[in-house]
């Protein structure tokens, strides 16, 4: 027995292998074979036996009959013994080959062995079973009594019966061999007849060979696909019967071919439907923003499909790993707990978890459902962005609600102020006229002066209401906040504040080169006054009030009480070490008439509302931070004015910071910042080029030489200043570089300095800061 044949796997049937049926194979319209009834009537009733001599027939019948019977009997027994021997050989080989796969439960190998054995022509049935009777492989039709040779072989491994294989060998081959033997003996008989008598040979040539040739040509035509050929040229009755059988065979072939064609078409349609379904499933999984896991009961990943959503490993690397090997212990414990609940209750379980990395935290939701007693399915979705979006939406809604409330109150205040102005015009003006007519010794002067002072105080309140309504700022000119602060500290209002609150100390931290803002000096002075007054009143006993100013460039929007947009700002910060503001009250600080103090004893309750209105009138932003018992810090961001420089700024640069024609490359993602830097450096005597990103700076340096590069630390959405410097060092190891940023010095700035950055300059660009830094770096030796 050829063992390789047992394991060989034939390709599956393909519908495309069946050729189209010839038109000549089509059945007749009446459903019968494609032979006209008249053709059968044209057949002759002549018989070859009647055309042979009686004596030759008798001689051949006696002699060759005995010989045929003897040979046929002997050979049939020999062929049957060979078939029995082959069955025994197959039984022995199958028992040996199937032992290991059945022992290993290798169903795929068992099926491969069974299918390889079933493809043998003599095999009619093969049935492989376990020792318990479960069928592992079955191929072939049920046995017909007496038409097959059957064998049942136990399968033994290490002395233990683990299964049984039952197979049957078809007797068709045996009968074909007997038929071949009969045909051979007939041929011998024919040759004997030729030898015996030339006359008989001539007769056979005339009466037998020619009809057989006609029959052969008809068979060839049928073999070539002419299934409707009716063997009309055959006249002998013996051959007409053969022709009739061939016609039946042609009809059966035609019917089988039609069936195969239909089966192939149905299979192609089924395969197409399956492919479409698989494609839809894959497209659906790929389109979902989820990752689908499949676990076994021990928590081992069996499968993972879908999008990689920020988990520690890509899906293709998860297969075969345990949950504990992929997720942190707390997350893995949560997932396993939910998975056990799924197996226990049979219901879907839902959970959320977070994964922490060096620079961010990712949030996920997980839905688990059982798909069998030993397997569970988990659908994991990254909800980080949705959580951030929800928080951002809530924050923006609060800001919008606060702005609408302030706008509504402002409109109300504006209407009231307008009416009060009309009423107060008489209260303020007429006392002045009366005082002009009253003599100095008149007892009415003092009451009239009291009326006048009260009217002026009421007019001041009206001005506050107009500021709250954002209708009070009509003047816009360059203002230096340092001067506003200094003027306020010399004012009677500040002296009065010091007299009422002697326990606080004042600290100043004013930027000497503070840039100007555009606005109303009067309203900005009232803003400083209200901020300092509130800070002093928040201190119980002793404490410190700090006033600071600075130039600040905002690289990225700041999200606080207000969202501060990117740009150049002058920042006024007033801080105190007072009682602080609670989280519940901090959102109401700027509401009119909202105060924790006793109304009427400390202002009108409009101070912080006036601050809010003034800042908004100046297109500025407010940020506030406070802690109970630790104090409060309020920052006012006012846009820098582009009309005029600081009074202390010189119109010409000192000689020690002048350039000598050196080439400088400025890399900044904000066009306005590049233009400011280019203008300053050109005025200092440098040749300047500008690019909008770190990538562009690297590409520029590949084709150009420059003496110095000025890198903005934050250049979104591309690489930042540190990464740009690293790439520059790869192509220009000796390149001199300065880092600039609107933020304070950070870890990435310090990392750049460690790599060799010459200086760190804080934005905004000022000639007094950027000039000396550039000159020092250019003069420094590597």
């Amino acid at each position: 027995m050829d063992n390789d044949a047992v394991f060989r796997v034939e390709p599956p049937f393909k519908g495309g292998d069946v050729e189209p049926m010839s038109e000549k194979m089509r059945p007749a319209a009446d459903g019968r074979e494609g032979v006209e009834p008249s053709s059968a009537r044209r057949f002759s009733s002549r018989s070859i036996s009647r055309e042979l001599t009686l004596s030759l027939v008798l001689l051949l019948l006696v002699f060759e009959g005995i010989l045929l019977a003897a040979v046929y009997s002997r050979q049939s027994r020999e062929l049957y013994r060979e078939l029995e021997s082959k069955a025994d050989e197959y039984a022995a080989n199958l028992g040996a080959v199937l032992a290991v796969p059945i022992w290993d439960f290798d169903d795929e190998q068992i099926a491969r062995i069974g299918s390889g054995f079933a493809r043998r022509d003599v095999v009619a049935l093969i049935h492989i079973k376990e020792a318990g009777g479960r069928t592992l492989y079955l191929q072939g039709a049920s046995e017909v009594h007496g038409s097959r040779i059957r064998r049942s072989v136990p399968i033994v491994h290490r002395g233990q019966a683990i299964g049984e294989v039952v197979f049957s060998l078809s007797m068709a081959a045996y009968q074909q061999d007997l038929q071949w033997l009969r045909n051979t003996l007939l041929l011998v008989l024919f040759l004997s007849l030729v030898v015996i008598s030339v006359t008989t040979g001539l007769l056979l040539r005339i009466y037998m060979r020619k009809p057989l040739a006609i029959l052969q040509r008809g068979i060839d035509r049928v073999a070539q696909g002419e299934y409707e050929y009716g063997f009309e040229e055959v006249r002998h009755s013996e051959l007409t019967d053969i022709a009739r059988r061939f016609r039946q065979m042609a009809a059966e072939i035609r019917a089988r071919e039609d069936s195969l064609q239909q089966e192939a078409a149905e299979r192609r349609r089924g395969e197409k439907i399956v492919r479409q379904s698989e494609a839809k499933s894959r497209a659906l999984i790929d389109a979902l923003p989820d990752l689908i896991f499949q676990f076994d009961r021990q928590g081992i990943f069996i499968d993972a499909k879908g999008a990689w959503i920020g988990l520690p490993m890509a899906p293709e690397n998860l297969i075969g790993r345990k949950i504990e090997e992929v997720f942190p212990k707390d997350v893995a414990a949560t997932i396993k707990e939910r998975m056990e609940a799924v197996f226990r209750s049979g219901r879907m379980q839902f959970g959320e978890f977070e994964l922490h990395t060096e620079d961010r935290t990712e949030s996920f939701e997980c839905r688990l459902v059982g798909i069998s007693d030993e397997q569970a399915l988990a659908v994991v979705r990254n909800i980080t962005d949705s959580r951030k979006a929800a928080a951002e939406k809530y924050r923006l809604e609060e800001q919008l609600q606060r702005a609408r409330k302030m706008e509504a109150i402002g409109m109300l205040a504006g209407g009231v102020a307008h009416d009060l102005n009309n009423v107060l015009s008489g209260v303020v003006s007429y006392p002045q006229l009366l005082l002009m007519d009253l003599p100095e010794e008149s007892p009415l002067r003092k009451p009239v002066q009291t009326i006048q002072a009260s009217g002026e105080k009421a007019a001041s309140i009206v001005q506050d209401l107009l500021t709250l309504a954002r209708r009070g700022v009509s003047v816009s000119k360059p203002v230096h906040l340092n001067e506003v602060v200094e003027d306020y500290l010399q004012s009677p209002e500040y002296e009065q504040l010091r007299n009422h609150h002697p326990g606080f100390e004042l600290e100043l931290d004013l930027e000497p080169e503070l840039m100007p803002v555009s606005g109303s000096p009067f309203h900005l002075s009232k803003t400083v006054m209200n901020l300092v007054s509130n800070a002093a009143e928040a201190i119980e006993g002793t404490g410190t009030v700090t006033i600071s100013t600075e130039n600040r460039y905002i690289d990225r929007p700041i999200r606080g009480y207000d969202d501060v947009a990117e740009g150049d700002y002058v920042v006024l910060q007033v801080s105190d070490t007072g009682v602080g503001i609670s989280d519940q009250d901090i959102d109401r600080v700027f509401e009119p008439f909202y105060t924790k103090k006793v109304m009427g004893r400390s202002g009108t309750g409009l101070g912080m509302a006036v601050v809010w209105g003034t800042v908004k009138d100046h297109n500025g932003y407010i940020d506030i931070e406070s802690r109970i018992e630790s104090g409060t810090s309020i920052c006012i961001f006012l846009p820098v004015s582009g009309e005029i420089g600081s009074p202390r700024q010189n119109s010409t640069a000192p000689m020690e910071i002048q350039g000598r024609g050196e080439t400088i490359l400025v890399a900044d993602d904000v066009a306005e910042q590049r233009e400011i830097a280019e203008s300053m450096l050109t005025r200092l005597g440098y040749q300047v080029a500008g690019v909008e990103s770190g990538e562009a700076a690297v590409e520029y340096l590949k084709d150009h030489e420059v003496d110095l590069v000025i890198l903005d630390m934050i250049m979104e959405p591309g690489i930042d200043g540190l990464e740009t410097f690293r790439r520059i060092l790869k192509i220009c190891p000796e390149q001199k570089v300065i880092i600039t940023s609107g933020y304070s010095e950070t870890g990435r700035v310090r990392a750049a300095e460690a790599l060799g950055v010459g200086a760190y300059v804080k934005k905004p660009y000022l000639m007094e800061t950027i000039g000396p830094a550039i000159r020092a770096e250019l003069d420094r030796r590597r």
Side-chain angles (χ1 to χ4, degrees), residues 385-415:
D385 292 339
S386 61
R387 277 191 172 183
K388 290 181 178 178
E392 179 67 9
K393 179 182 178 182
Y394 178 75
R395 189 181 66 84
L396 292 176
E397 287 177 348
E398 280 193 330
Q399 286 187 355
L400 179 61
Q401 183 179 3
R402 185 166 60 240
R404 287 176 174 173
K405 181 167 62 176
M406 295 297 291
E407 181 180 2
I409 295 175
M411 292 178 65
L412 174 62

Side-chain angles (χ1 to χ4, degrees), residues 323-344:
I323 297 177
E324 296 85 350
E325 298 176 7
V326 177
F327 296 104
K329 291 183 178 179
D330 55 340
V331 176
T334 300
I335 295 176
K336 294 193 74 173
E337 180 183 350
R338 297 289 192 277
M339 188 170 63
E340 289 299 327
V342 166
F343 289 127
R344 186 171 57 253

Side-chain angles (χ1 to χ4, degrees), residues 49-217:
S49 62
R50 289 197 298 269
E51 296 173 357
L52 296 176
T53 61
L54 181 61
S55 58
L56 180 58
V57 173
L58 292 175
L59 178 61
L60 290 175
L61 286 176
V62 174
F63 179 75
E64 297 296 335
I66 295 173
L67 180 61
L68 176 62
V71 173
Y72 184 80
S73 177
R74 182 177 181 278
Q75 288 299 111
S76 63
R77 289 193 300 272
E78 185 65 27
L79 289 173
Y80 190 83
R81 283 196 297 272
E82 288 180 4
L83 191 60
E84 291 276 352
S85 176
K86 184 176 291 187
D88 295 335
E89 181 183 1
Y90 286 169
N93 287 340
L94 277 176
V97 170
L98 288 170
V100 174
I102 293 178
W103 180 260
D104 293 338
F105 300 98
D106 191 348
D107 294 341
E108 182 179 354
Q109 184 65 13
I110 293 170
R112 191 179 295 114
I113 294 172
S115 61
F117 181 81
R119 282 194 296 273
R120 296 177 177 273
D121 295 334
V122 297
V123 177
L125 172 70
I126 177 171
H127 187 188
I128 303 173
K129 302 182 289 185
E130 287 184 341
R134 185 173 70 90
T135 297
L136 301 177
Y137 182 83
L138 176 62
Q139 179 68 34
S142 59
E143 183 174 352
V144 180
H145 179 71
S147 63
R148 300 177 183 175
I149 296 177
R150 183 179 184 278
R151 290 289 185 273
S152 177
V153 183
I155 300 172
V156 180
H157 184 74
R158 298 180 181 177
Q160 178 182 352
I162 62 173
E164 180 184 18
V165 58
V166 178
F167 64 92
S168 299
L169 301 183
S170 174
M171 297 291 289
Y174 168 74
Q175 292 174 358
Q176 288 177 358
D177 290 341
L178 293 181
Q179 183 178 2
W180 176 85
L181 179 59
R182 288 194 298 270
N183 293 338
T184 303
L185 293 177
L186 288 174
L187 180 59
V188 171
L189 176 61
F190 171 73
L191 295 175
S192 299
L193 291 175
V194 174
V195 174
I196 292 173
S197 175
V198 176
T199 305
T200 305
L202 293 174
L203 293 175
L204 291 176
R205 173 182 293 273
I206 296 171
Y207 298 109
M208 187 173 182
R209 184 175 180 182
K210 184 178 179 180
L212 288 176
I214 295 173
L215 179 63
Q216 182 63 45
R217 287 195 298 271

Side-chain angles (χ1 to χ4, degrees), residues 637-681:
F637 295 81
L638 298 176
V640 171
S641 171
E643 296 184 26
I644 188 171
S646 170
R648 298 177 177 85
Q649 182 174 331
N650 295 326
S651 60
T652 59
M655 291 301 297
E656 59 268 17
I657 64 173
Q658 283 285 348
R660 301 162 192 162
E662 293 95 335
T663 303
I664 297 179
L665 175 65
V666 178
D668 198 306
D669 60 321
V670 181
E672 292 79 1
Q673 295 296 316
R674 291 198 304 273
E675 293 172 1
I676 293 172
E678 291 174 7
S679 176
M680 285 184 177
L681 299 181

Side-chain angles (χ1 to χ4, degrees), residues 520-579:
S520 166
F522 172 77
H523 290 88
L524 291 175
S525 177
K526 293 200 70 173
T527 296
V528 173
M529 179 187 70
N530 286 319
L531 290 176
V532 174
S533 175
N534 274 273
E537 292 173 355
I539 296 175
E540 298 177 352
T542 59
T544 302
V545 174
T546 303
I547 304 175
S548 63
T549 58
E550 64 170 326
N551 299 317
R552 186 183 300 180
Y553 173 70
I554 305 300
D555 289 287
R556 296 176 180 175
I558 298 176
R559 294 180 177 178
Y561 189 87
D562 277 345
D563 289 348
V564 184
E566 181 179 356
D568 284 311
Y569 294 92
V570 171
V571 180
L572 169 67
Q573 182 173 2
V574 178
S575 305
D576 64 68
T577 59
V579 295

Side-chain angles (χ1 to χ4, degrees), residues 322-541:
K322 292 185 177 181
I323 297 177
E324 296 85 350
E325 298 176 7
V326 177
F327 296 104
K329 291 183 178 179
D330 55 340
V331 176
T334 300
I335 295 176
K336 294 193 74 173
E337 180 183 350
R338 297 289 192 277
M339 188 170 63
E340 289 299 327
V342 166
F343 289 127
R344 186 171 57 253
S345 65
R347 297 179 179 178
M348 185 191 76
Q349 297 292 320
F350 176 83
E352 294 184 356
F353 60 89
E354 292 183 345
L355 294 179
H356 304 280
T357 59
E358 294 181 358
D359 56 349
R360 63 182 300 177
T361 298
E362 299 278 354
S363 300
F364 301 88
E365 67 176 16
C366 179
R367 289 179 169 84
L368 290 99
V369 62
I371 57 177
S372 70
D373 292 339
E374 297 296 329
Q375 293 184 4
L377 196 69
V379 180
V380 179
R381 174 173 293 184
N382 191 325
I383 59 173
T384 305
D385 292 339
S386 61
R387 277 191 172 183
K388 290 181 178 178
E392 179 67 9
K393 179 182 178 182
Y394 178 75
R395 189 181 66 84
L396 292 176
E397 287 177 348
E398 280 193 330
Q399 286 187 355
L400 179 61
Q401 183 179 3
R402 185 166 60 240
R404 287 176 174 173
K405 181 167 62 176
M406 295 297 291
E407 181 180 2
I409 295 175
M411 292 178 65
L412 174 62
V416 172
H418 178 269
D419 294 337
L420 286 177
N421 260 338
N422 295 330
V423 174
L424 290 175
S425 61
V427 177
V428 174
S429 301
Y430 281 114
Q432 187 175 11
L433 296 175
L434 291 174
L435 288 173
M436 293 174 62
D437 295 333
L438 289 174
E440 292 293 332
E441 66 279 1
S442 174
L444 296 177
R445 290 190 66 87
K446 187 173 182 180
V448 171
Q449 288 174 345
T450 302
I451 294 172
Q452 184 181 27
S454 298
E456 290 174 350
K457 185 175 181 181
S460 176
I461 295 174
V462 169
Q463 288 300 317
D464 287 345
L465 289 174
L466 288 174
T467 302
L468 175 62
R470 301 180 63 182
R471 300 178 187 175
V473 177
S474 58
V475 179
S476 180
K477 63 180 182 179
V479 179
H480 300 283
L481 273 183
N482 285 352
E483 297 178 1
V484 173
V485 173
E486 292 169 355
D487 290 344
Y488 167 69
L489 296 180
Q490 302 299 324
S491 68
E493 289 84 356
Y494 179 69
E495 290 297 328
Q496 184 179 3
L497 180 66
R498 295 292 309 190
N499 293 332
H500 286 100
H501 302 280
F504 76 90
E505 295 292 332
L506 181 68
E507 293 184 0
L508 294 179
D509 183 14
L510 305 181
E511 170 66 41
E513 303 296 334
L514 193 67
M515 302 180 74
V517 298
S518 181
S520 166
F522 172 77
H523 290 88
L524 291 175
S525 177
K526 293 200 70 173
T527 296
V528 173
M529 179 187 70
N530 286 319
L531 290 176
V532 174
S533 175
N534 274 273
E537 292 173 355
I539 296 175
E540 298 177 352

Side-chain angles (χ1 to χ4, degrees), residues 284-295:
L284 180 61
I285 292 176
D286 293 339
L288 291 175
D290 301 327
L291 188 59
I292 301 176
F293 297 132
Q294 190 173 344
F295 305 101

Side-chain angles (χ1 to χ4, degrees), residues 589-604:
V589 166
F590 298 102
E591 291 184 11
F593 311 112
Y594 179 79
T595 179
K596 288 294 186 179
K597 296 169 284 188
V598 179
M599 289 292 292
R601 294 183 58 185
S602 181
T604 62

